[in-house]
Amino acid sequence: MRTLLALCIGLGWAAAGAQTPPALTPPPERISDRTIQADYASYEAVQARIKALNDRGLGKGPRVASYHLAKAQCWLDASFHEYTRNDRSAYPQQALEQSDRLIVLMEQNASPLPDDTPLVNDADRLRPDLWDATARLKTHPGFRCAAQRTACAEVELVHAGNEHKQLGWRHAKPYVQMAEDFVADAQLAAERCIPPVVVAQAPPPPPPPLPPPKPEPHEFSTAVLFTFGEGDAAHIRPMTRERLDQTILRAKQADFKIEKISVTGHADRLNGTGKSDFNQRLSLRRAQAVADLLVAAGIARALIVVAGKSDSVPVEACTSRAKTTPELEECLAPNRRVEVEVSGTRMR
């Protein structure tokens, strides 16, 4: 499968005569501001190309709504999400390559565009029922209204399969739930998209009423990273701030009721102040800064629970790769985070 994927991607780039696909810094070398910023620049360049295609009309409206452009966007989002979570596997690079593969073909006006969804990084194939549902949606008369959600459902199924293979079901579950939500929304959008049948002799009978919506538990999360030694909102890394903004918009959707938002700050193990509680105060200050952003966006403070865990829950040890102090500081960047976990109910 890996050989076939590489061949397909290579043919796509070669046929289009495109530029070299974006390449992220190899994981062992991601230990300096320069390398991290170079990777961020690669992500921003791909995002700019998606915007340019959407501005040309390929997105079918102000939102990226076409199947292939939406899929390129979802591959890009999944790649960046795992990059910021310090995924050291091949997944961030291969997901980014899938985004670039589709963008290149659209930039060259290729037709037909591929509908396949490769299991990058040899991800496990989870939930065959959801894969079957996306296949049915592609043949649905109302697919044009469900294309974006269908594309993102397929990408999140691969995302979940990658997490399942690397870390087990607990880490895969949030992305499976996202895929379920995308499929459910796509099915509803497709049904609502079919125009009513016009009968000349008499008006068509009214469609049967939709079942009343019912609340279902729903959770999602994100994380923002801070500059070394800093704890105010101005020092949140820009692209992780964008993901926080997306999470806020998702939490404020009309069909979602927030029950609780846990905001937990963390710090890296470095502490040159000599004060034993410095990292605890810094982690709490970071959490409070993010909580203030949520309140400023219109979320009730009573729904937000703020906590600081100092440097007690690191995600990166950096015990051998970093050779200088700046390299160590950058290597420990994933530990300087605030985790935002949103819990509530969604009407279905």
Side-chain angles (χ1 to χ4, degrees):
M1 181 179 294
R2 183 177 297 173
T3 302
L4 177 59
L5 172 60
L7 176 61
C8 291
I9 294 175
L11 289 175
W13 287 324
Q19 61 194 25
T20 302
L24 301 174
T25 305
E29 300 174 20
R30 294 176 195 162
I31 55 175
S32 69
D33 284 334
R34 181 179 59 82
T35 56
I36 298 296
Q37 291 304 320
D39 288 343
Y40 282 1
S42 295
Y43 279 114
E44 289 166 355
V46 175
Q47 184 67 70
R49 291 165 65 199
I50 291 176
K51 183 178 184 302
L53 288 168
N54 195 56
D55 291 344
R56 275 174 43 190
L58 293 183
K60 301 185 184 302
R63 297 169 63 247
V64 180
S66 76
Y67 173 79
H68 295 95
L69 196 57
K71 203 167 201 178
Q73 181 67 65
C74 291
W75 276 122
L76 178 64
D77 290 345
S79 171
F80 182 69
H81 176 68
E82 288 305 315
Y83 182 93
T84 60
R85 293 179 69 241
N86 205 33
D87 186 333
R88 298 275 167 163
S89 75
Y91 179 84
Q93 176 64 47
Q94 292 186 12
L96 180 61
E97 288 172 357
Q98 286 301 314
S99 179
D100 180 76
R101 169 200 182 200
L102 292 170
I103 293 168
V104 167
L105 293 172
M106 287 183 282
E107 288 172 338
Q108 299 300 322
N109 298 315
S111 181
L113 293 169
D115 289 345
D116 62 315
T117 309
L119 297 173
V120 301
N121 199 33
D122 292 330
D124 293 336
R125 185 179 176 88
L126 305 179
R127 295 295 299 273
D129 60 314
L130 294 180
W131 283 108
D132 291 343
T134 62
R136 289 193 299 271
L137 279 164
K138 292 178 184 177
T139 63
H140 194 287
F143 177 62
R144 69 184 185 278
C145 299
Q148 180 193 37
R149 298 173 180 89
T150 303
C152 291
E154 292 172 329
V155 172
E156 288 305 329
L157 282 171
V158 179
H159 193 173
N162 181 71
E163 291 295 302
H164 185 266
K165 180 175 182 179
Q166 293 191 70
L167 300 169
W169 177 249
R170 177 175 173 271
H171 289 264
K173 185 178 178 180
Y175 307 108
V176 171
Q177 185 168 25
M178 289 176 67
E180 288 178 342
D181 291 342
F182 279 128
V183 168
D185 290 346
Q187 290 171 335
L188 184 60
E191 291 298 327
R192 290 176 173 173
C193 195
I194 303 174
V197 177
V198 178
V199 180
Q201 295 82 0
L210 294 173
K214 60 180 181 178
E216 292 184 355
H218 191 63
E219 298 177 353
F220 51 93
S221 63
T222 191
V224 295
L225 304 184
F226 281 75
T227 303
F228 175 73
E230 301 293 344
D232 56 88
H235 290 90
I236 295 175
R237 289 197 165 182
M239 295 195 74
T240 62
R241 172 61 189 271
E242 292 175 12
R243 296 197 69 84
L244 176 63
D245 292 340
Q246 294 171 9
T247 298
I248 292 172
L249 290 175
R250 189 174 176 190
K252 294 177 66 178
Q253 288 180 343
D255 63 348
F256 182 73
K257 179 182 178 181
I258 304 171
E259 294 179 350
K260 176 183 175 182
I261 301 181
S262 297
V263 182
T264 307
H266 299 267
D268 62 40
R269 58 184 166 82
L270 302 181
N271 180 0
T273 68
K275 298 178 180 179
S276 59
D277 66 339
F278 176 77
N279 277 347
Q280 173 61 27
R281 289 186 288 108
L282 180 58
S283 66
L284 189 59
R285 181 182 167 199
R286 287 169 174 164
Q288 189 61 58
V290 173
D292 290 344
L293 292 176
L294 298 176
V295 172
I299 296 174
R301 189 175 292 275
L303 298 173
I304 303 171
V305 178
V306 177
K309 293 195 174 182
S310 186
D311 55 2
S312 63
V313 192
V315 295
E316 180 60 63
C318 299
T319 56
S320 60
R321 291 194 304 275
K323 296 181 174 57
T324 66
T325 297
E327 287 177 347
L328 178 59
E329 290 176 359
E330 189 57 35
C331 183
L332 292 171
N335 298 339
R336 299 191 294 273
R337 69 195 188 280
V338 171
E339 296 172 342
V340 181
E341 298 178 354
V342 183
S343 303
T345 55
R346 185 178 183 186
M347 301 302 294
R348 284 287 184 80

